[in-house]
Amino acid sequence: MIQAADWSIVALSLKVAVVAVLGALPPACALAWLLSRVRFPGKVLLDGLVHLPLVTPPVVVGWLLLSLFGPAAPIGRWLEEVLGLELMFRWTGAALAAGVMALPLMVRSMRLSFDGVDRRLEDAARSLGAGPVRVFWSVSAPLAAPGVLAALVLGFARALGEFGATIAFVSNIPGETRTLSLAIYSALQTPGGEGTATRLAVLSILVSLAALVASEAMIRKGRRHAA
């Protein structure tokens, strides 16, 4: 039987994942377009840095976040003193960790979509007097929309399942940073917690499956409109 505490964990996980994906969307889109359309020195290095979280142990990513955004770090101290944004031991820090881990998958999916956009259409728009920003919003973005939607879902699923970077950066605090993955881990470490772990695992699967089904429906709809 699913309990109220389980739903609160699901709600926190969804909040963290949604904020993580929405926060990662602008830089992911900009990086994907940059890597797809622009030639510049150091492009290979930038590509490697963007995808580094895919091959680096998540705990290392969490340690790097702690070094950059911790209360003693310049960036973390500035965010707290100037913007009033607290990250340590808060759900906002969990969203940051999840967004960083989701970013490479989002960039990869979006870049493939931008690569698939016919550059002759962009050139035609430029020849008619459209500037770079207008070309992007009127030609590139609409044609790449199905890939962007897929990137959002991939990022959401990755953020929803994030564990290592989160626990290393903001710890495992009930009601604040304990998302589904961390709650399942905690239940498995507790004697007699197998039932709780099973319930949370089932909820995690259902939420992820719902996201994937919704994504497929949106992508098909986007392709029909594009056609």
Side-chain angles (χ1 to χ4, degrees):
M1 182 68 179
I2 298 177
Q3 302 176 1
D6 300 335
W7 289 117
S8 66
I9 293 172
V10 172
L12 175 62
S13 301
L14 291 175
K15 179 170 71 170
V16 167
V18 169
V19 171
V21 169
L22 292 180
L25 178 60
C29 192
L31 286 168
W33 183 87
L34 186 67
L35 292 171
S36 174
R37 287 293 186 263
V38 182
R39 293 183 179 181
F40 56 92
K43 181 176 180 179
V44 175
L45 178 60
L46 177 62
D47 192 23
L49 290 174
V50 168
H51 292 89
L52 197 59
L54 288 178
V55 295
T56 302
V59 174
V60 174
V61 176
W63 172 77
L64 290 172
L65 290 174
L66 187 61
S67 301
L68 293 172
F69 296 97
I75 299 177
R77 186 167 59 249
W78 181 84
L79 288 173
E80 186 171 349
E81 293 177 355
V82 178
L83 301 181
L85 180 60
E86 298 182 21
L87 296 175
M88 286 302 299
F89 311 119
R90 298 291 304 275
W91 73 269
T92 49
L96 174 62
V100 169
M101 296 303 295
L103 181 71
L105 290 175
M106 296 175 66
V107 171
R108 196 172 190 85
S109 179
M110 290 182 189
R111 182 180 179 180
L112 290 174
S113 294
F114 285 124
D115 286 344
V117 174
D118 192 340
R119 298 196 181 196
R120 291 173 298 181
L121 297 175
E122 297 174 334
D123 293 337
R126 279 190 286 268
S127 69
L128 295 174
V133 175
R134 188 172 181 182
V135 169
F136 176 81
W137 286 112
S138 63
V139 179
S140 306
L143 292 175
V148 174
L149 288 174
L152 287 172
V153 175
L154 281 174
F156 176 81
R158 181 64 185 87
L160 193 64
E162 167 49 32
F163 175 81
T166 301
I167 199 171
F169 181 39
V170 293
S171 190
N172 183 8
I173 303 174
E176 191 64 47
T177 66
R178 183 172 290 179
T179 56
L180 275 168
S181 298
L182 273 66
I184 293 171
Y185 170 80
S186 298
L188 291 174
Q189 302 303 308
T190 304
E194 291 81 4
T196 301
T198 300
R199 291 197 309 271
L200 294 174
V202 170
L203 283 173
S204 178
I205 292 171
L206 291 176
V207 171
S208 300
L209 182 61
L212 291 173
V213 171
S215 163
E216 185 63 24
M218 288 188 294
I219 290 173
R220 291 185 179 183
K221 185 177 180 180
R223 285 174 177 169
R224 285 199 298 269
H225 284 304

